[in-house]
Amino acid sequence: MSNYCPHLWNGFTIRTNGDIYSCCLSKAIKIGNIYEVELKQLINLPALLKYRKKSLEGDLECYNSCTFVKKDISIEKVPEYIRINYSQLKKIDLIFGRACNISCIMCIRSRNITKNDPVLNPKILQKNIDITPFNEIIIQGGEPLFIPECLKYMTFLEENGKNYTILTNGVLINDEMAQRLSLHAKRVIISINAANKETHEVVNQGSNFNKLISNIKSLQSYRNQNDTELKLIGRMTITPESILEIPDFIQNFSDFGVDYINFGYDKSTVPQLLLENPSLKEKLKIKIINSLKSADLEKIDTLRLIYLGLIGFDMYNSEFFSDFHEMI
């Protein structure tokens, strides 16, 4: 049986120090550094060919523990080749830096930041990455809207007619930024991380829930005014503090002003919490299933709920999310 990972064929992740990876996970293979070489020179390195071959043969070690790739949900069209052309690339994930304007309790990126922390250089990215083939450009931080270098690269993308997906806590989306994102972003993924104000402000320390919802609705308003196809996605990274609010998040997400919702979870705490509390898990599972029965599954990415054992594979039905799980 294949354990096909599309990211080995489709794109790359570039981290804050310029290191280039075949995926976004810590076990992914490093293939170079964007400060030293053009991306197009790296697409068929022997190490990558080896891992593509291992994937097709069902021997990819990281596959079973991966929570980014769809498994046993839909049949992928698996390629028969291991070499690719640069023009076949689709996705690139740029992690600009760790700097952030708030401090989420589960976020390891924003801890112990120093003034010498690496930040991606937009001029180097422009020089060494031909963005022509990419139709999925993912921008992450830290908080991307808090990082000047990221804002400069967004301008470069906009001037070259490239839309992007951005992951943000939403706090810095004032009217000017809402207008800008409504015109140039493909997706804005907003870390809401809870279903109510109190829990949100515990998890997203330094955020203001009411202001965040106002910012999201400003995005919605500018999108409608400009008649663009921007998609607004509310993301809930599940933590022990917020786990009981999953059903409410599913039922009430439209009140936040978002079109879709997506889940992640804190790997260091949540799986262990569910393992140690089977009765909690079963009660929560029942509530989540009941909330999904009356929800529009096309607007809800349930993949991580499946991997946590909180629902079954029969409750995955979102075509909207099918192409970019491995990036978010």
Side-chain angles (χ1 to χ4, degrees), residues 69-87:
V69 178
K70 292 182 298 177
K71 292 173 283 194
D72 301 322
I73 295 175
S74 64
I75 298 174
E76 297 280 1
K77 184 178 179 181
V78 179
E80 298 178 355
Y81 51 85
I82 60 173
R83 298 186 68 86
I84 64 171
N85 296 320
Y86 192 79
S87 60

Side-chain angles (χ1 to χ4, degrees), residues 125-160:
L125 298 181
Q126 293 174 38
K127 176 178 178 288
N128 287 341
I129 301 175
D130 175 2
I131 62 169
T132 304
F134 297 109
N135 55 30
E136 292 289 356
I137 301 171
I138 317 302
I139 295 175
Q140 300 190 53
E143 170 52 45
L145 302 182
F146 188 66
I147 301 173
E149 292 84 352
C150 180
L151 295 172
K152 290 178 182 177
Y153 193 71
M154 287 166 56
T155 298
F156 165 76
L157 293 174
E158 293 161 5
E159 291 174 347
N160 284 271

Side-chain angles (χ1 to χ4, degrees), residues 184-241:
H184 300 292
K186 186 175 184 178
R187 305 180 187 92
V188 178
I189 303 173
I190 303 134
S191 298
I192 302 174
N193 293 337
N196 66 60
K197 172 180 170 64
E198 291 74 18
T199 309
H200 168 85
E201 293 179 2
V202 167
V203 176
N204 287 24
Q205 295 180 1
S207 180
N208 179 296
F209 184 77
N210 293 334
K211 175 61 175 171
L212 172 64
I213 300 306
S214 175
N215 291 350
I216 295 172
K217 293 188 175 179
S218 178
L219 274 172
Q220 191 181 62
S221 176
Y222 277 108
R223 174 189 63 184
N224 295 341
Q225 177 182 314
N226 293 320
D227 193 25
T228 64
E229 297 182 357
L230 170 67
K231 300 296 188 295
L232 303 177
I233 302 168
R235 181 172 177 82
M236 181 178 181
T237 298
I238 303 163
T239 66
E241 293 78 8

